Amino acid sequence: MALVQKKVYGKNYIDCYQYYSGRYGKNIPNGPALGKTPLKQLRYQDKKAERICRYKLNENFEGGDLFLTLNYPPHQKVDIDVARKNINTFLDTVRRIYKREEKKLKYIYVAGITKKGMIHFHIVMNKLDTDVLTKAWQRIVGTEECKYPRVTIRHLDYSGEYKKLASYLIKNSREQFYRKEKVHKKRFCASKNLKMPLVTTKVIKNNRWWNMATKKAPKGYIIDKNSIYDGYGWADNGGYYECCRVQRITMYRIDSQYQKFKKSKYRKPLENIDVPEVIEDWGE
């Protein structure tokens, strides 16, 4: 098997991976589905979706952009087909508003379904008048006069690193993704105009693994010690044999907004910018 080294060059960071691959450089098509997908494979796919979501968030969004939660009235169950139509109508409406202002809408959204069957949506999008967004959703739902807050709007922080947000989105997406009746068949949906970071991949011929104790970052970067992983598979709590060996590490640029945000005592937004709220904890 080939030892593959992959590097992802983001705006403020470099993600480095090393892993064995028996498929690299070979044209091996996927076989037909023969049964139910194993749980370990589903968890791997969740982690992969989380990484891709994080890359898109970090490359395309910044402090002050919006994080919306679109709700329906309490105790009102909505059919999945109706909810799918509602979110598509909302995005079409907002896209036209952006176009009038000579802007391009960028978004990532997921759908969530609670145990009681209540549907809601989480959306990250670039800046716009929040009153316009609230009224657009209320008109679609048809309950403008109701005082229940159907749209919760918060602002992204200025760190430029949205790993926790990506994890939160994929976690909520699992509520509907593993059901037989899905709002959509993807773990997350994103606009087609989002950029992805530069990714380089090469085969290491000498099969030399990194020594994490002596691993050094390139000039201008610092290693995030919490990101170091040297084990098996992609499980965050690995260390036992699941599949081939994997190493991964993240390095952040020293002069990045993420480093300044971490050092800030109160982790407030940058000065002279009016932002009502900063998201720090994405837990429920």
Side-chain angles (χ1 to χ4, degrees):
M1 289 190 294
L3 177 59
V4 180
Q5 185 181 95
K6 179 183 290 187
K7 292 186 178 181
V8 181
Y9 295 89
K11 290 191 297 185
N12 298 320
Y13 63 91
I14 302 175
D15 274 356
C16 304
Y17 304 94
Q18 279 196 165
Y19 55 93
Y20 273 126
S21 173
R23 298 171 63 94
Y24 186 79
K26 300 178 183 179
N27 186 15
I28 304 175
N30 292 329
L34 300 177
K36 191 175 180 180
T37 305
L39 181 60
K40 287 184 179 179
Q41 180 65 18
L42 289 173
R43 291 293 177 261
Y44 165 77
Q45 292 170 356
D46 287 340
K47 284 294 179 184
K48 183 178 180 181
E50 184 179 318
R51 288 196 300 275
I52 295 174
C53 183
R54 174 198 166 211
Y55 294 152
K56 291 188 175 183
L57 286 170
N58 289 352
E59 289 298 306
N60 297 278
F61 298 97
E62 59 186 10
D65 283 337
L66 306 177
F67 175 66
L68 288 72
T69 302
L70 306 181
N71 299 293
Y72 288 93
H75 312 298
Q76 177 182 326
K77 288 188 177 182
V78 179
D79 185 74
I80 287 179
D81 292 333
V82 174
R84 189 184 300 117
K85 184 178 179 181
N86 289 159
I87 188 63
N88 289 336
T89 303
F90 176 78
L91 292 174
D92 288 341
T93 302
V94 175
R95 191 177 289 110
R96 289 194 296 270
I97 296 172
Y98 272 78
K99 190 173 181 179
R100 285 201 299 265
E101 297 187 6
E102 298 182 351
K103 298 180 180 179
K104 289 186 178 180
L105 171 64
K106 297 187 293 184
Y107 67 85
I108 291 177
Y109 85 87
V110 299
I113 303 179
T114 64
K115 293 180 180 179
K116 296 182 180 180
M118 304 297 292
I119 299 175
H120 60 277
F121 297 96
H122 295 297
I123 306 179
V124 179
M125 62 172 58
N126 45 336
K127 302 178 186 72
L128 190 69
D129 185 358
T130 55
D131 288 340
V132 173
L133 297 174
T134 301
K135 291 178 181 178
W137 178 248
Q138 289 178 343
R139 282 196 299 269
I140 292 168
V141 176
T143 52
E144 288 185 75
E145 297 179 359
C146 183
K147 295 181 180 180
Y148 178 75
R150 285 166 192 75
V151 180
T152 303
I153 301 176
R154 291 178 281 178
H155 293 257
L156 303 189
D157 61 44
Y158 285 83
S159 67
E161 172 54 75
Y162 303 118
K163 184 177 181 179
K164 289 184 179 180
L165 175 55
S167 177
Y168 180 77
L169 292 174
I170 300 303
K171 175 186 174 184
N172 277 268
S173 175
R174 288 202 297 264
E175 297 172 353
Q176 66 90 27
F177 185 78
Y178 291 130
R179 289 173 173 250
K180 290 184 178 180
E181 295 184 359
K182 300 178 177 63
V183 178
H184 48 73
K185 297 181 180 180
K186 298 179 180 179
R187 285 174 170 81
F188 70 93
C189 297
S191 56
K192 295 182 179 180
N193 59 351
L194 298 187
K195 298 178 181 178
M196 280 288 285
L198 173 66
V199 180
T200 61
T201 307
K202 66 178 180 179
V203 175
I204 307 301
K205 295 182 179 180
N206 57 7
N207 284 0
R208 186 176 180 180
W209 292 91
W210 293 320
N211 184 347
M212 292 302 192
T214 60
K215 180 70 174 174
K216 294 183 179 180
K219 186 176 181 180
Y221 286 82
I222 187 171
I223 292 176
D224 180 7
K225 294 182 179 180
N226 294 326
S227 71
I228 296 175
Y229 178 81
D230 189 353
Y232 295 90
W234 290 94
D236 282 344
N237 298 320
Y240 55 90
Y241 186 81
E242 283 186 335
C243 55
C244 295
R245 186 180 175 186
V246 172
Q247 290 182 320
R248 65 176 180 266
I249 191 170
T250 299
M251 306 173 187
Y252 289 102
R253 213 174 66 216
I254 293 175
D255 62 345
S256 67
Q257 291 295 339
Y258 179 66
Q259 292 299 322
K260 296 176 183 178
F261 185 76
K262 284 177 63 178
K263 293 178 181 178
S264 174
K265 184 177 180 181
Y266 301 103
R267 296 191 176 184
K268 292 183 179 180
L270 297 181
E271 296 179 358
N272 302 324
I273 299 180
D274 183 17
V275 179
E277 184 176 358
V278 178
I279 298 176
E280 295 183 26
D281 183 9
W282 296 100
E284 293 182 342

